[in-house]
Amino acid sequence: MSTHQQRHPQTLTAFARDTLQGLSGIPKKLSSKYFYDEQGDKLFQQIMRMPEYYLTDCELEIFENRKEAILQAIGRRHFQLLELGAGDGMKTKVLLRHFLERGVNFQYQPIDISRNVLLELEESLRSELPDLQVKSLQGDYFKVLHELRGNKAQPKVVLFLGANIGNYTLEEALAFLRSIATELNPGDLLLIGFDLKKDPETILSAYNDPAGITAAFNLNLLHRMNRELGANFDLQGFKHWETYNPLTGEAKSYIVSLKGQYVFIRALNRSFYFDAWEAIDVELSRKYSIPELEHLAEQAGFAVRQHFFDKNNYFVDSLWMVK
Ligand SMILES: C[S@@+](CC[C@H](N)C(=O)[O-])C[C@H]1O[C@@H](n2cnc3c(N)ncnc32)[C@H](O)[C@@H]1O
């Protein structure tokens, strides 16, 4: 509901523009990519250390136990290693160290929307892996991928880890993977992480921890709007809510308004009304079965080379080749 004259969308930052669009829609929706400001990066690092958040441990276990098998399956000694949404690179460093020890000739190019996380990653790589060639790129995956289009000469291996693909709907995931395939050459490789369907209770607990870290992480989005867009969200007036649908494999995070309330956002010069119990859709974390992800690979233009599982078969890193 508008009570003030609106700013012209062209003069807004991407965050402000997406907020305007997301809070004007029915249902209200915000993109999970805005979780990751400095505070959000710190909270996500806490999430990765929670006992309930099995995803990080599973992928770490895969890299520690299968790093040589992954290198053998890549089957090259010279490539450009791009990582989409690198984050703190904690798990990737296991592969980077191993590739360096095995004398592989590669340059590491981490891509992330968070400038803060990239600066921290560069600094830690300088001290932990001083021989590594690093060129980090800040921006949205889609934008950066498009910019890389011209650089087709070098063989590429792309990493898309930590079940980031699960943040997309099936249609979005297919479009995303097709665009990766288009930007690459036949024979280039993608190592991609998928969280697998499993006991619904295990999945739900990973996004609904008793300590409330996930809740703080999701509600940080409201804090961020207060900080960066001059909004006046009262955090006590909202709660985090999580669901998991074992049929679709969709874990979904919502922020629910506890009462009827107006929130004013100065950057948009506009108020938004939240009904009592109205939900904002903030994150999707889709879980896959192996046939589902193999079908996705096929449809997107990739051939599946090999799957690498953890000991519980909770998670898979799958190596695909552009056809
Ligand atoms: C869930 S974290 C995962 C980090 C790391 N890949 C891992 O597995 O631990 C997602 C990372 O992707 C970045 N990110 C999310 N959406 C993005 C986008 N559209 N473009 C670029 N980076 C994005 C975030 O800033 C964050 O660092």
Side-chain angles (χ1 to χ4, degrees):
M1 178 178 295
S2 177
T3 55
H4 299 262
Q5 201 191 0
Q6 274 180 51
R7 295 239 163 99
H8 200 273
Q10 255 101 59
T11 63
L12 300 174
T13 62
F15 182 32
R17 215 170 30 241
D18 289 348
T19 300
L20 173 63
Q21 195 185 359
L23 294 184
S24 308
I26 302 171
K28 292 185 172 68
K29 194 170 165 40
L30 293 167
S31 166
S32 55
K33 72 181 175 193
Y34 294 114
F35 282 155
Y36 301 92
D37 64 348
E38 196 175 341
Q39 188 60 21
D41 291 337
K42 281 201 187 99
L43 286 163
F44 188 70
Q45 281 159 19
Q46 284 183 42
I47 288 178
M48 289 198 292
R49 289 194 292 270
M50 298 181 337
E52 296 84 2
Y53 196 78
Y54 58 83
L55 291 89
T56 309
D57 291 344
C58 291
E59 199 170 43
L60 194 58
E61 180 199 312
I62 294 170
F63 290 171
E64 276 167 353
N65 293 340
R66 308 300 311 281
K67 57 196 175 198
E68 180 56 24
I70 292 172
L71 182 57
Q72 293 302 324
I74 289 173
R76 299 210 174 94
R77 313 294 299 172
H78 179 215
F79 50 81
Q80 228 179 336
L81 186 67
L82 298 154
E83 180 166 8
L84 309 179
D88 70 357
M90 187 265 281
K91 292 164 292 175
T92 318
K93 283 176 192 166
V94 175
L95 294 182
L96 297 175
R97 184 170 291 115
H98 185 69
F99 292 178
L100 283 176
E101 282 169 5
R102 296 298 315 273
V104 178
N105 177 5
F106 69 106
Q107 187 192 42
Y108 176 54
Q109 299 200 331
I111 299 165
D112 206 290
I113 200 166
S114 165
R115 190 178 302 278
N116 171 62
V117 97
L118 280 180
L119 288 173
E120 281 182 15
L121 177 59
E122 277 176 14
E123 200 182 304
S124 73
L125 288 173
R126 258 196 304 276
S127 65
E128 291 171 41
L129 299 170
D131 295 335
L132 184 69
Q133 298 174 55
V134 185
K135 184 174 179 226
S136 63
L137 301 161
Q138 194 258 329
D140 194 276
Y141 317 130
F142 287 101
K143 255 189 159 162
V144 177
L145 269 179
H146 193 69
E147 286 160 16
L148 293 174
R149 187 179 257 270
N151 192 3
K152 283 206 166 185
Q154 279 225 39
K156 293 191 184 78
V157 178
V158 176
L159 304 175
F160 195 46
L161 308 177
N164 282 8
I165 192 73
N167 294 142
Y168 296 119
T169 64
L170 205 51
E171 297 72 36
E172 288 167 346
L174 182 59
F176 179 73
L177 292 166
R178 279 193 175 138
S179 79
I180 295 181
T182 314
E183 306 298 347
L184 300 177
N185 276 331
D188 283 343
L189 296 166
L190 173 67
L191 183 70
I192 179 166
F194 286 91
D195 193 17
L196 297 173
K197 287 181 173 167
K198 61 184 69 62
D199 185 341
E201 210 159 294
T202 308
I203 291 174
L204 202 53
S205 308
Y207 298 91
N208 213 17
D209 63 289
I213 301 170
T214 317
F217 176 66
N218 288 355
L219 290 167
N220 177 54
L221 204 49
L222 306 187
H223 265 308
R224 184 173 180 185
M225 287 189 265
N226 286 352
R227 281 192 296 266
E228 291 182 26
L229 305 180
N232 64 353
F233 280 97
D234 167 14
L235 277 279
Q236 301 306 315
F238 294 87
K239 74 185 276 187
H240 158 70
W241 188 254
E242 189 71 30
T243 65
Y244 176 63
N245 178 341
L247 202 63
T248 60
E250 290 185 336
K252 296 208 65 170
S253 303
Y254 301 95
I255 293 175
V256 180
S257 176
L258 303 180
K259 58 187 181 197
Q261 54 187 318
Y262 282 98
V263 173
F264 180 66
I265 302 184
R266 199 170 54 229
L268 302 175
N269 199 22
R270 183 180 158 164
S271 290
F272 295 87
Y273 183 69
F274 295 81
D275 235 335
W277 309 116
E278 184 176 354
I280 314 171
D281 181 345
V282 292
E283 191 173 40
L284 165 66
S285 306
R286 193 179 198 282
K287 313 302 168 192
Y288 284 81
S289 66
I290 292 295
E292 281 169 343
L293 72 89
E294 288 183 342
H295 185 62
L296 189 62
E298 179 66 29
Q299 282 194 305
F302 292 91
V304 177
R305 268 218 176 162
Q306 199 170 334
H307 296 311
F308 302 93
F309 296 96
D310 64 294
K311 64 177 184 308
N312 293 318
N313 289 335
Y314 275 6
F315 195 93
V316 66
D317 281 296
S318 189
L319 186 68
W320 299 356
M321 192 176 71
V322 180
K323 283 197 279 195

